[in-house]
mmCIF file of all heavy atoms in Angstrom:
data_model
loop_
_atom_site.group_PDB
_atom_site.id
_atom_site.type_symbol
_atom_site.label_atom_id
_atom_site.label_comp_id
_atom_site.label_asym_id
_atom_site.label_seq_id
_atom_site.Cartn_x
_atom_site.Cartn_y
_atom_site.Cartn_z
ATOM 1 N N ARG A 212 29.224 71.907 36.729
ATOM 2 C CA ARG A 212 30.588 71.494 36.389
ATOM 3 C C ARG A 212 31.106 70.645 37.541
ATOM 4 O O ARG A 212 31.253 71.115 38.662
ATOM 5 C CB ARG A 212 31.496 72.705 36.161
ATOM 6 C CG ARG A 212 32.866 72.354 35.594
ATOM 7 C CD ARG A 212 33.637 73.633 35.227
ATOM 8 N NE ARG A 212 34.846 73.349 34.487
ATOM 9 C CZ ARG A 212 36.071 73.335 35.016
ATOM 10 N NH1 ARG A 212 36.237 73.592 36.317
ATOM 11 N NH2 ARG A 212 37.122 73.085 34.267
ATOM 12 N N TYR A 213 31.379 69.378 37.255
ATOM 13 C CA TYR A 213 31.699 68.427 38.309
ATOM 14 C C TYR A 213 32.854 67.525 37.890
ATOM 15 O O TYR A 213 33.266 67.477 36.724
ATOM 16 C CB TYR A 213 30.466 67.569 38.631
ATOM 17 C CG TYR A 213 30.144 66.567 37.541
ATOM 18 C CD1 TYR A 213 30.628 65.257 37.604
ATOM 19 C CD2 TYR A 213 29.371 66.925 36.441
ATOM 20 C CE1 TYR A 213 30.354 64.348 36.598
ATOM 21 C CE2 TYR A 213 29.095 66.026 35.440
ATOM 22 C CZ TYR A 213 29.589 64.729 35.519
ATOM 23 O OH TYR A 213 29.328 63.830 34.507
ATOM 24 N N ALA A 214 33.348 66.745 38.847
ATOM 25 C CA ALA A 214 34.353 65.706 38.599
ATOM 26 C C ALA A 214 33.938 64.463 39.379
ATOM 27 O O ALA A 214 33.388 64.562 40.487
ATOM 28 C CB ALA A 214 35.744 66.169 39.036
ATOM 29 N N SER A 215 34.189 63.286 38.806
ATOM 30 C CA SER A 215 33.797 62.037 39.451
ATOM 31 C C SER A 215 34.614 60.895 38.870
ATOM 32 O O SER A 215 35.177 61.011 37.778
ATOM 33 C CB SER A 215 32.304 61.774 39.235
ATOM 34 O OG SER A 215 31.922 60.529 39.769
ATOM 35 N N VAL A 216 34.675 59.814 39.609
ATOM 36 C CA VAL A 216 35.309 58.598 39.105
ATOM 37 C C VAL A 216 34.297 57.459 39.057
ATOM 38 O O VAL A 216 34.665 56.299 38.885
ATOM 39 C CB VAL A 216 36.519 58.197 39.975
ATOM 40 C CG1 VAL A 216 37.636 59.204 39.831
ATOM 41 C CG2 VAL A 216 36.122 58.024 41.430
ATOM 42 N N SER A 217 33.022 57.769 39.222
ATOM 43 C CA SER A 217 31.967 56.765 39.262
ATOM 44 C C SER A 217 30.872 57.102 38.260
ATOM 45 O O SER A 217 30.760 58.232 37.780
ATOM 46 C CB SER A 217 31.357 56.673 40.671
ATOM 47 O OG SER A 217 32.338 56.401 41.642
ATOM 48 N N VAL A 218 30.051 56.113 37.961
ATOM 49 C CA VAL A 218 28.875 56.281 37.114
ATOM 50 C C VAL A 218 27.648 56.184 38.005
ATOM 51 O O VAL A 218 27.522 55.258 38.800
ATOM 52 C CB VAL A 218 28.813 55.204 36.016
ATOM 53 C CG1 VAL A 218 27.511 55.313 35.232
ATOM 54 C CG2 VAL A 218 30.001 55.323 35.094
ATOM 55 N N GLY A 219 26.744 57.133 37.892
ATOM 56 C CA GLY A 219 25.559 57.106 38.729
ATOM 57 C C GLY A 219 24.790 58.395 38.651
ATOM 58 O O GLY A 219 24.675 59.003 37.580
ATOM 59 N N THR A 220 24.264 58.857 39.786
ATOM 60 C CA THR A 220 23.451 60.068 39.818
ATOM 61 C C THR A 220 23.844 60.949 40.993
ATOM 62 O O THR A 220 24.481 60.500 41.950
ATOM 63 C CB THR A 220 21.954 59.725 39.944
ATOM 64 O OG1 THR A 220 21.754 58.977 41.145
ATOM 65 C CG2 THR A 220 21.466 58.928 38.755
ATOM 66 N N ILE A 221 23.427 62.215 40.923
ATOM 67 C CA ILE A 221 23.453 63.139 42.042
ATOM 68 C C ILE A 221 22.070 63.772 42.122
ATOM 69 O O ILE A 221 21.271 63.649 41.181
ATOM 70 C CB ILE A 221 24.545 64.225 41.892
ATOM 71 C CG1 ILE A 221 24.360 64.999 40.577
ATOM 72 C CG2 ILE A 221 25.936 63.598 41.964
ATOM 73 C CD1 ILE A 221 25.348 66.138 40.386
ATOM 74 N N SER A 222 21.756 64.432 43.228
ATOM 75 C CA SER A 222 20.428 65.009 43.436
ATOM 76 C C SER A 222 20.498 66.527 43.425
ATOM 77 O O SER A 222 21.426 67.117 43.994
ATOM 78 C CB SER A 222 19.842 64.528 44.768
ATOM 79 O OG SER A 222 19.724 63.110 44.792
ATOM 80 N N VAL A 223 19.506 67.155 42.777
ATOM 81 C CA VAL A 223 19.431 68.609 42.696
ATOM 82 C C VAL A 223 18.036 69.035 43.138
ATOM 83 O O VAL A 223 17.029 68.478 42.668
ATOM 84 C CB VAL A 223 19.703 69.111 41.260
ATOM 85 C CG1 VAL A 223 19.532 70.614 41.180
ATOM 86 C CG2 VAL A 223 21.098 68.707 40.813
ATOM 87 N N SER A 224 17.961 70.019 44.040
ATOM 88 C CA SER A 224 16.668 70.505 44.511
ATOM 89 C C SER A 224 16.654 72.033 44.499
ATOM 90 O O SER A 224 17.688 72.681 44.682
ATOM 91 C CB SER A 224 16.370 69.988 45.919
ATOM 92 O OG SER A 224 17.370 70.416 46.827
ATOM 93 N N VAL A 225 15.472 72.613 44.259
ATOM 94 C CA VAL A 225 15.261 74.061 44.282
ATOM 95 C C VAL A 225 14.338 74.371 45.446
ATOM 96 O O VAL A 225 13.205 73.859 45.500
ATOM 97 C CB VAL A 225 14.657 74.561 42.957
ATOM 98 C CG1 VAL A 225 14.369 76.049 43.029
ATOM 99 C CG2 VAL A 225 15.592 74.254 41.802
ATOM 100 N N ASP A 226 14.819 75.174 46.363
ATOM 101 C CA ASP A 226 14.068 75.490 47.579
ATOM 102 C C ASP A 226 13.663 74.183 48.273
ATOM 103 O O ASP A 226 14.514 73.348 48.529
ATOM 104 C CB ASP A 226 12.866 76.381 47.252
ATOM 105 C CG ASP A 226 13.308 77.755 46.747
ATOM 106 O OD1 ASP A 226 14.413 78.212 47.139
ATOM 107 O OD2 ASP A 226 12.570 78.359 45.949
ATOM 108 N N ASP A 227 12.383 74.001 48.532
ATOM 109 C CA ASP A 227 11.920 72.797 49.238
ATOM 110 C C ASP A 227 11.276 71.784 48.299
ATOM 111 O O ASP A 227 10.536 70.895 48.756
ATOM 112 C CB ASP A 227 10.924 73.198 50.336
ATOM 113 C CG ASP A 227 11.561 74.077 51.400
ATOM 114 O OD1 ASP A 227 12.766 73.902 51.653
ATOM 115 O OD2 ASP A 227 10.853 74.945 51.957
ATOM 116 N N GLN A 228 11.539 71.881 47.010
ATOM 117 C CA GLN A 228 10.926 70.968 46.053
ATOM 118 C C GLN A 228 11.586 69.593 46.095
ATOM 119 O O GLN A 228 12.684 69.419 46.634
ATOM 120 C CB GLN A 228 11.024 71.551 44.645
ATOM 121 C CG GLN A 228 10.291 72.871 44.460
ATOM 122 C CD GLN A 228 10.463 73.436 43.065
ATOM 123 O OE1 GLN A 228 10.975 72.751 42.177
ATOM 124 N NE2 GLN A 228 10.054 74.679 42.871
ATOM 125 N N THR A 229 10.910 68.612 45.515
ATOM 126 C CA THR A 229 11.442 67.245 45.463
ATOM 127 C C THR A 229 12.723 67.216 44.630
ATOM 128 O O THR A 229 12.766 67.790 43.534
ATOM 129 C CB THR A 229 10.406 66.296 44.845
ATOM 130 O OG1 THR A 229 9.195 66.359 45.606
ATOM 131 C CG2 THR A 229 10.933 64.862 44.822
ATOM 132 N N PRO A 230 13.775 66.570 45.130
ATOM 133 C CA PRO A 230 15.029 66.525 44.378
ATOM 134 C C PRO A 230 14.874 65.835 43.027
ATOM 135 O O PRO A 230 14.077 64.917 42.859
ATOM 136 C CB PRO A 230 15.968 65.733 45.304
ATOM 137 C CG PRO A 230 15.383 65.884 46.663
ATOM 138 C CD PRO A 230 13.895 65.942 46.456
ATOM 139 N N VAL A 231 15.653 66.311 42.065
ATOM 140 C CA VAL A 231 15.705 65.736 40.728
ATOM 141 C C VAL A 231 17.022 65.001 40.579
ATOM 142 O O VAL A 231 18.078 65.505 40.974
ATOM 143 C CB VAL A 231 15.578 66.842 39.657
ATOM 144 C CG1 VAL A 231 15.762 66.260 38.262
ATOM 145 C CG2 VAL A 231 14.236 67.537 39.776
ATOM 146 N N ARG A 232 16.989 63.798 40.016
ATOM 147 C CA ARG A 232 18.208 63.017 39.782
ATOM 148 C C ARG A 232 18.864 63.441 38.476
ATOM 149 O O ARG A 232 18.208 63.581 37.447
ATOM 150 C CB ARG A 232 17.888 61.526 39.749
ATOM 151 C CG ARG A 232 17.429 60.966 41.098
ATOM 152 C CD ARG A 232 18.594 60.936 42.082
ATOM 153 N NE ARG A 232 18.225 60.368 43.356
ATOM 154 C CZ ARG A 232 18.274 59.063 43.642
ATOM 155 N NH1 ARG A 232 18.656 58.212 42.714
ATOM 156 N NH2 ARG A 232 17.939 58.630 44.834
ATOM 157 N N VAL A 233 20.175 63.611 38.517
ATOM 158 C CA VAL A 233 20.960 64.001 37.348
ATOM 159 C C VAL A 233 22.021 62.933 37.105
ATOM 160 O O VAL A 233 22.726 62.531 38.036
ATOM 161 C CB VAL A 233 21.628 65.374 37.559
ATOM 162 C CG1 VAL A 233 22.440 65.756 36.334
ATOM 163 C CG2 VAL A 233 20.581 66.435 37.869
ATOM 164 N N ASN A 234 22.158 62.480 35.876
ATOM 165 C CA ASN A 234 23.135 61.448 35.530
ATOM 166 C C ASN A 234 24.545 62.026 35.462
ATOM 167 O O ASN A 234 24.767 63.089 34.885
ATOM 168 C CB ASN A 234 22.790 60.820 34.178
ATOM 169 C CG ASN A 234 21.473 60.080 34.210
ATOM 170 O OD1 ASN A 234 21.231 59.286 35.108
ATOM 171 N ND2 ASN A 234 20.610 60.351 33.244
ATOM 172 N N VAL A 235 25.499 61.301 36.051
ATOM 173 C CA VAL A 235 26.909 61.673 35.981
ATOM 174 C C VAL A 235 27.720 60.434 35.637
ATOM 175 O O VAL A 235 27.269 59.306 35.817
ATOM 176 C CB VAL A 235 27.418 62.279 37.314
ATOM 177 C CG1 VAL A 235 26.672 63.551 37.648
ATOM 178 C CG2 VAL A 235 27.291 61.273 38.452
ATOM 179 N N HIS A 236 28.933 60.652 35.128
ATOM 180 C CA HIS A 236 29.848 59.529 34.905
ATOM 181 C C HIS A 236 31.269 59.988 35.139
ATOM 182 O O HIS A 236 31.508 61.127 35.559
ATOM 183 C CB HIS A 236 29.673 58.915 33.516
ATOM 184 C CG HIS A 236 29.993 59.840 32.382
ATOM 185 N ND1 HIS A 236 31.276 60.091 31.959
ATOM 186 C CD2 HIS A 236 29.192 60.579 31.581
ATOM 187 C CE1 HIS A 236 31.262 60.926 30.938
ATOM 188 N NE2 HIS A 236 30.005 61.246 30.690
ATOM 189 N N SER A 237 32.211 59.129 34.875
ATOM 190 C CA SER A 237 33.591 59.372 35.286
ATOM 191 C C SER A 237 34.273 60.415 34.407
ATOM 192 O O SER A 237 34.251 60.329 33.174
ATOM 193 C CB SER A 237 34.384 58.068 35.253
ATOM 194 O OG SER A 237 35.737 58.304 35.549
ATOM 195 N N SER A 238 34.918 61.359 35.070
ATOM 196 C CA SER A 238 35.784 62.313 34.373
ATOM 197 C C SER A 238 37.232 61.869 34.443
ATOM 198 O O SER A 238 38.118 62.548 33.923
ATOM 199 C CB SER A 238 35.643 63.701 34.997
ATOM 200 O OG SER A 238 36.059 63.687 36.353
ATOM 201 N N GLY A 239 37.484 60.749 35.107
ATOM 202 C CA GLY A 239 38.829 60.199 35.219
ATOM 203 C C GLY A 239 39.512 60.489 36.531
ATOM 204 O O GLY A 239 40.451 59.798 36.912
ATOM 205 N N ALA A 240 39.073 61.525 37.251
ATOM 206 C CA ALA A 240 39.675 61.898 38.534
ATOM 207 C C ALA A 240 38.742 62.870 39.238
ATOM 208 O O ALA A 240 37.889 63.505 38.602
ATOM 209 C CB ALA A 240 41.053 62.527 38.337
ATOM 210 N N LEU A 241 38.913 62.998 40.558
ATOM 211 C CA LEU A 241 38.091 63.934 41.331
ATOM 212 C C LEU A 241 38.614 65.360 41.252
ATOM 213 O O LEU A 241 37.934 66.297 41.696
ATOM 214 C CB LEU A 241 38.014 63.481 42.795
ATOM 215 C CG LEU A 241 37.172 62.219 43.056
ATOM 216 C CD1 LEU A 241 37.325 61.765 44.502
ATOM 217 C CD2 LEU A 241 35.705 62.482 42.734
ATOM 218 N N THR A 242 39.798 65.544 40.702
ATOM 219 C CA THR A 242 40.367 66.878 40.501
ATOM 220 C C THR A 242 41.076 66.923 39.155
ATOM 221 O O THR A 242 41.538 65.893 38.644
ATOM 222 C CB THR A 242 41.378 67.239 41.607
ATOM 223 O OG1 THR A 242 42.454 66.283 41.595
ATOM 224 C CG2 THR A 242 40.718 67.243 42.978
ATOM 225 N N GLY A 243 41.145 68.119 38.575
ATOM 226 C CA GLY A 243 41.910 68.295 37.346
ATOM 227 C C GLY A 243 41.205 67.899 36.076
ATOM 228 O O GLY A 243 41.720 68.131 34.978
#
Side-chain angles (χ1 to χ4, degrees):
R212 189 173 189 259
Y213 72 94
S215 176
V216 292
S217 304
V218 174
T220 59
I221 57 177
S222 300
V223 176
S224 60
V225 177
D226 294 332
D227 297 328
Q228 298 178 10
T229 303
V231 175
R232 293 290 182 88
V233 180
N234 295 312
V235 298
H236 63 80
S237 176
S238 62
L241 289 172
T242 60

